[in-house]
Amino acid sequence: MAAPHTAAVPHLDALGPRGPYRTLAPEPVTDVTGTEVARLSLVPPVYVDRAMAALRRAAPPSPDRIDGRLAAAAESFASGTVGGLGVGAYEDLVSRTSGTPLRVVRAATRDTARFVARARTSADQGRPRGTAAGLWGAAPRAVWARRGEVFAVNASGNHPGVHRLWLEALALGYRVAVRPSRREPFTPHRLVGALRQAGVGEDQVVLLPTDHRAADTLVHGADRSVVYGGDDVVARYAHDPRVLPQGPGRSKILVTADTDWRAHLDTLVASVADEGGTACVNATAILVEGDPAPLAAAVADRLAALPSLPPRDERAVLPVAPLERARALGSHLTKVAAGTRAWLGGDGVVDDLGDGSAVLRPAVHQVDSARAGQLRAELPFPCVWVAPWSRSDGIAPLRDSLVLSALTRDGALLDALLAEPTVANLYIGDHPTYWMAPGVPHDSYLSDFLMRSKAVIGAR
Amino acid sequence: MPYDPGTVLDAGPSAGADPDAFVRAAVAWHFDPATGSRFWLDRAARLGFDPRQDVKGVADLALFPDLTHELRTVPAADLVPRGYGDRAGLLNVFDSGGTTGDPKRVVQLADWMRHSTEQVARGLRAHGLPAGAPWLSVAPTGPHLVGDVLTRAAASLGGPALGVDMDPRWVRKLAAAGRTDEVAAYTDHLVDQCRRVLVSQDVRVLAATTPLLERLAREDDLLDVINSKVEAIVWGGTHMDPDTRFLLSTEVFPDVPLIGMYGNTMMLTGLIERVGSSASDPCVFDPVSPSVFLSVVDPGTGAPVPSGARGQVVVSHVSRSMFIPNNAERDTALRVAPAAGQVGDAVADVAPMATVAGTTVIEGVY
């Protein structure tokens, strides 16, 4: 029942309001081959409850010091030693447990540090222009105020970049609890550790690894929560105004007849496969006005050339998973793809590395209609559905997109896409779907969910 | 063999009866056409062995198949050994929790109730529980065994048990349907009832399930009340993981001893935690010779796991009133040597069986 005993693997303690906390029997964290690489302390619900109560009693992070602290935390996250791990050891652990290619992890470290350093200014981008950030200076008439005190994030482990968002909550004065993914707890552990080294209080930001049963306790104890998951999670929290679910991104690319896709092939391929294809901003579908076959063939041709390598290989670009999970994903794809034309991956996407893990190779399938159900099938590896699109389809097939990249010169169509409420982000022209930057909204500004504008008449 | 009270089969758990002789007497009683229950007499032919010939002692309980799934449908009256005649004293029909399908049913007869209550009370006295102290018992009653065990234990120690009832099946149903708001509302309702009792009554023993204790930990005012006037907390009815036990003992209820009770319906009683362990030691439960035997086995092979290893808990209940051999519970535990005078295994750190991880794919990258 237990994983083989390994000497001296790092311990990831819970980072509670009174310091690190190690449980009586920390759980093994295994890499994609099943080797134990760390021990994670999963705290029970009663610990979560008490930690959330401590956050609620704590003062907000000091606004005049937060920029300096975020900058210092960004610096130690990117290059320091945090929780006994140097950055190289940290990146190695992330790569081997999540199966994310090492070079993707390294790039993510640098990007995350940038987001951390700028978290307050990024958050401030979402402040309505009629409000002031606080009660100082001339009578402001309106102040941007928090909707609550305690923020929780129930995070995922698909990509280290998931942890860029919640720093804004801290910058806005929330006290923050992070529940890490059990598969990849290293990134939030390092971030919370870096923030504490930089002077953020132990009762202002906590890391609470838990099993599933305590996840509800976390959300219950917070005023506002972000919860990552599938459609089930989105449905479950759809009517809870205190929870912002982050579900499948279903990012898409549209190419209309007035634009030659051949000039944008690099961007199309990158949108599908960069970042290992594991991000919510990777393209799930490409819709093309005209015959989709040549585009599908060209994308398939490029993706077929990507090598199958273990994630820690410097040249690796494709994601790796434990063999059993890879097989489950592979057979799910086979089932979903029934009736479509496979350009790549039709014979299976699982490439067994022989060490207990397998590469998830890219898949390109052509469907016969813009309304095919497959266009919603987002999977955690480079997997794209290519569909024909015509004016008569309208924008319905483009709905429900975290990012829609539109390669078109049709202004009226762009206006319609801009007006479409279920398209969260619209990238016009040659921009990969995964493009992100501090201060640019990801799924609207997080502050839309965290803050309100409050009239304040009279001076302090 | 007519009903002849006073034989070895009427020995209570503290009488020091020889367990092998007790098991032989029990099998003789339950499989004698004149005295056995209809349930066992109907099934004797299917066993493939003759219990009255082949069962020489405790070890031979392993010969029996686990037939507890048949307790879902059998009429309760068929469970009463006919040898009692009209002196059975049928007090209760209890249901198992029904986590895995329809509930299984057992009967509690008056003689076993006395033995069970006596051994529970003895276990609690060993922990220094006050005599004559009022209890608050927050546990499922009615068809559920645990509430009955606690209420009778309180009475046996001379304390009236004030009660707050609960319906765990409804809560499980709400939780399974994802209706977490309603679960929370129901739990709040339980806490409100507890608050009234705790504030107005001189409660000195609190008996509650693990989730309820976890929930009470959120109520600062009640923690003050409990830590100042309650002298012991008895937890049971569900599992408690070692970290929760440690935190409840050291941080939430630092001034009140926490005493575990492990039981299940097919065991027909509760086992009280072994005395003398600290908050970070494993929580050990000893069997109760000659009526409750435990073994810890590999769920795949049924073979005993090595001492100290985790395996599935198999329980046998042997008494004049019922015979439930070899019941594989949905619990796992560490296998531990039993206390002196006990046979078989003791169990420590009881936990639920891990559910088999499905290979269903939920779409999306998270």
Side-chain angles (χ1 to χ4, degrees):
Chain A
M1 284 187 180
H5 178 74
T6 323
V9 296
H11 269 275
L12 273 72
D13 298 332
L15 301 175
R18 288 194 282 153
Y21 181 80
R22 186 167 300 178
T23 55
L24 293 166
E27 289 280 316
V29 178
T30 53
D31 71 5
V32 286
T33 71
T35 303
E36 181 182 331
V37 296
R39 287 279 169 113
L40 178 65
S41 282
L42 298 180
V43 296
V46 68
Y47 188 93
V48 175
D49 261 335
R50 293 172 72 75
M52 299 307 275
L55 291 179
R56 195 167 291 287
R57 286 191 299 266
S62 159
D64 38 343
R65 292 198 182 154
I66 195 70
D67 275 330
R69 286 179 172 155
L70 289 167
E75 176 68 27
S76 35
F77 180 80
S79 52
T81 296
V82 183
L85 292 177
V87 68
Y90 151 72
E91 288 168 338
D92 184 58
L93 285 164
V94 172
S95 176
R96 65 190 294 186
T97 51
S98 66
T100 308
L102 189 56
R103 65 161 84 165
V104 173
V105 176
R106 287 180 181 157
T109 305
R110 294 190 296 273
D111 279 351
T112 299
R114 216 154 49 91
F115 275 83
V116 173
R118 298 191 200 170
R120 194 198 54 79
T121 48
S122 298
D124 198 56
Q125 290 293 312
R127 178 163 57 85
R129 64 179 184 174
T131 64
L135 271 183
W136 49 78
R141 305 196 69 82
V143 167
W144 207 31
R146 285 187 298 278
R147 292 177 187 270
E149 299 297 339
V150 179
F151 174 80
V153 55
N154 189 353
S156 60
N158 59 302
H159 191 285
V162 161
H163 296 281
R164 291 166 190 170
L165 192 62
W166 55 260
L167 276 299
E168 291 190 20
L170 191 71
L172 290 167
Y174 277 86
R175 275 113 290 163
V176 175
V178 184
R179 176 184 182 247
S181 145
R182 285 171 66 171
R183 186 165 55 128
E184 199 276 270
F186 305 99
T187 300
H189 196 271
R190 184 172 180 81
L191 261 179
V192 171
L195 288 162
R196 289 175 166 204
Q197 282 181 10
V200 177
E202 289 180 331
D203 58 356
Q204 291 173 326
V205 60
V206 297
L207 181 85
L208 302 175
T210 71
D211 65 11
H212 239 46
R213 138 190 110 92
D216 283 340
T217 315
L218 182 86
V219 171
H220 178 273
D223 300 312
R224 286 288 182 278
S225 304
V226 167
V227 178
Y228 291 83
D231 284 329
D232 54 329
V233 167
V234 175
R236 179 164 171 205
Y237 292 112
H239 302 292
D240 189 338
R242 303 179 317 128
V243 178
L244 180 65
Q246 295 283 289
R250 300 197 168 105
S251 298
K252 301 175 188 68
I253 301 172
L254 171 69
V255 191
T256 56
D258 59 19
T259 305
D260 182 4
W261 58 263
R262 287 168 190 82
H264 305 287
L265 186 58
D266 286 349
T267 300
L268 296 176
V269 170
S271 294
V272 174
D274 277 17
E275 309 294 327
T278 64
C280 53
V281 287
N282 280 114
T284 298
I286 301 175
L287 296 100
V288 54
E289 193 176 16
D291 181 7
L295 185 154
V299 171
D301 192 50
R302 293 277 289 272
L303 293 175
L306 300 179
S308 285
L309 292 166
R312 300 156 78 192
D313 190 299
E314 304 273 345
R315 297 159 298 158
V317 287
L318 292 172
V320 175
L323 185 58
E324 197 182 339
R325 171 162 162 82
R327 285 189 174 141
L329 286 164
S331 44
H332 182 73
L333 173 64
T334 306
K335 209 165 61 195
V336 172
T340 67
R341 178 176 179 188
W343 286 91
L344 185 64
D347 304 329
V349 294
V350 178
D351 198 353
D352 189 347
L353 288 173
D355 59 1
S357 71
V359 173
L360 286 157
R361 294 206 49 84
V364 179
H365 290 84
Q366 182 184 335
V367 298
D368 58 11
S369 152
R371 291 166 193 276
Q374 285 88 356
L375 299 187
R376 296 180 61 75
E378 174 178 289
L379 291 169
F381 57 96
C383 174
V384 68
W385 309 93
V386 183
W389 179 83
S390 71
R391 303 279 152 170
S392 60
D393 291 315
I395 64 165
L398 305 169
R399 287 187 179 132
D400 291 327
S401 301
L402 180 58
V403 178
L404 179 67
S405 279
L407 290 160
T408 180
R409 290 197 290 269
D410 182 337
L413 179 60
L414 289 173
D415 285 342
L417 292 172
L418 193 58
E420 169 53 43
T422 67
V423 172
N425 302 307
L426 178 63
Y427 295 176
I428 302 166
D430 195 73
H431 305 287
T433 50
Y434 60 77
W435 185 91
M436 280 198 242
V440 178
H442 174 63
D443 181 11
S444 193
Y445 284 115
L446 182 62
S447 59
D448 293 351
F449 172 63
L450 298 181
M451 306 296 279
R452 61 177 301 171
S453 303
K454 184 180 289 197
V456 177
I457 306 303
R460 181 172 183 161
Chain B
M1 186 169 105
Y3 181 26
D4 177 20
T7 68
V8 64
L9 202 45
D10 295 297
S14 56
D18 173 57
D20 291 324
F22 186 88
V23 166
R24 284 195 300 274
V27 167
W29 164 264
H30 286 289
F31 289 91
D32 184 326
T35 57
S37 66
R38 179 155 185 186
F39 177 82
W40 278 118
L41 296 176
D42 282 356
R43 283 158 184 78
R46 290 203 252 134
L47 293 175
F49 63 95
D50 180 353
R52 290 191 286 173
Q53 290 297 319
D54 300 338
V55 175
K56 311 275 194 252
V58 179
D60 297 325
L61 292 172
L63 294 171
F64 287 91
D66 180 358
L67 293 181
T68 53
H69 57 281
E70 301 193 17
L71 295 173
R72 297 184 204 284
T73 50
V74 66
D78 285 6
L79 297 172
V80 179
R82 57 178 61 154
Y84 281 104
D86 58 4
R87 288 180 288 170
L90 175 55
L91 298 177
N92 309 83
V93 179
F94 291 122
D95 284 7
S96 67
T99 312
T100 52
D102 290 339
K104 302 167 189 171
R105 291 189 184 82
V106 297
V107 291
Q108 175 165 263
L109 307 188
D111 56 355
W112 173 250
M113 183 279 288
R114 282 193 302 276
H115 294 320
S116 167
T117 304
E118 183 214 316
Q119 76 83 18
V120 173
R122 183 158 38 88
L124 291 173
R125 272 195 300 270
H127 281 273
L129 235 70
W135 285 41
L136 168 58
S137 172
V138 195
T141 61
H144 303 283
L145 173 88
V146 59
D148 186 76
V149 167
L150 290 168
T151 309
R152 292 188 195 275
S156 172
L157 292 170
L162 291 95
V164 171
D165 194 15
M166 64 167 80
D167 183 348
R169 289 179 196 165
W170 180 236
V171 178
R172 268 206 301 276
K173 207 165 180 174
L174 291 174
R179 291 155 71 182
T180 45
D181 285 5
E182 290 180 60
V183 173
Y186 186 81
T187 316
D188 290 348
H189 168 60
L190 296 177
V191 170
D192 288 347
Q193 296 175 76
C194 292
R195 176 175 277 108
R196 288 197 196 100
V197 176
L198 285 165
V199 168
S200 69
Q201 303 293 316
D202 175 35
V203 172
R204 286 160 62 198
V205 177
L206 171 63
T209 59
T210 304
L212 208 275
L213 291 174
E214 290 173 329
R215 179 63 184 75
L216 289 173
R218 281 186 198 160
E219 307 293 318
D220 289 343
D221 63 325
L222 290 184
L223 292 188
D224 289 346
V225 172
I226 293 168
N227 278 313
S228 65
K229 71 181 178 191
V230 169
E231 294 170 37
I233 293 173
V234 180
W235 60 269
T238 50
H239 304 97
M240 184 181 288
D241 66 82
D243 287 296
T244 297
R245 177 167 168 262
F246 179 79
L247 289 164
L248 290 177
S249 303
T250 57
E251 291 198 10
V252 182
F253 304 112
D255 305 327
V256 191
L258 215 58
I259 303 158
M261 183 174 90
Y262 167 56
N264 45 57
T265 313
M266 304 295 112
M267 189 190 288
L268 269 162
T269 189
L271 309 178
I272 300 298
E273 175 182 344
R274 185 184 290 178
V275 174
S277 65
S278 82
S280 54
D281 288 333
C283 183
V284 179
F285 298 99
D286 282 302
V288 181
S289 288
S291 285
V292 178
F293 302 106
L294 306 172
S295 47
V296 182
V297 304
D298 179 315
T301 64
V305 298
S307 188
R310 185 167 288 278
Q312 184 171 19
V313 180
V314 175
V315 181
S316 292
H317 170 95
V318 184
S319 68
R320 188 189 284 284
S321 70
M322 279 206 86
F323 180 63
I324 311 174
N326 245 346
N327 160 44
E329 275 296 332
R330 294 191 57 76
D331 295 324
T332 70
L334 306 178
R335 183 181 174 206
V336 176
Q342 300 293 336
V343 182
D345 294 334
V347 296
D349 286 354
V350 183
M353 284 283 271
T355 44
V356 181
T359 47
T360 323
V361 170
I362 292 174
E363 286 184 359
V365 294
Y366 301 132

